[in-house]
Amino acid sequence: MSELVVTDVSHTFSDTGRGCSHVSFTAWAGELTVLTAPSGAGKSTALAVIAGVLARHGGTVTFDGRQLERGEAALVLQGAQVFERLTA
């Protein structure tokens, strides 16, 4: 069964010193994986790092045992704010 393994992933923004640190989880094919944390904890940053949108400053991301490099994954946003015609 396919699996995505995120181990100790970190990213720090140089201007604020914030980001995400030491994020680890495993997501298996066919299962729903949810990343929860308080507002401002770095959930979106972690997802952007996993997808390669932001540089990884630490840790590893593997898919089926092969380490993913920047640009080998995708991030698809589902929020209505992405589509102006759907917002008030």
Side-chain angles (χ1 to χ4, degrees), residues 5 7 9 14-17 19 21 23-25 33 38 45 51 53 56 61-62 64 66-68 71 74 81:
V5 180
T7 307
V9 165
S14 59
D15 58 340
T16 64
S21 60
V23 175
S24 298
F25 64 88
T33 302
T45 301
V53 174
R56 188 176 345 132
V61 179
T62 62
D64 285 346
R66 188 179 66 80
Q67 185 162 331
L68 293 180
Q81 68 273 13

Side-chain angles (χ1 to χ4, degrees), residues 11-86:
H11 177 88
T12 304
F13 293 101
S14 59
D15 58 340
T16 64
R18 298 185 69 189
C20 66
S21 60
H22 309 292
V23 175
S24 298
F25 64 88
T26 300
W28 290 274
E31 294 188 4
L32 178 66
T33 302
V34 179
L35 187 60
T36 62
S39 179
K43 300 175 297 294
S44 295
T45 301
L47 293 173
V49 171
I50 293 164
V53 174
L54 294 173
R56 188 176 345 132
H57 294 161
T60 60
V61 179
T62 62
F63 182 74
D64 285 346
R66 188 179 66 80
Q67 185 162 331
L68 293 180
E69 299 302 328
R70 195 167 181 184
E72 289 189 304
L75 177 63
V76 179
L77 302 173
Q78 293 184 345
Q81 68 273 13
V82 175
F83 306 100
E84 284 187 35
R85 63 184 172 77
L86 298 177

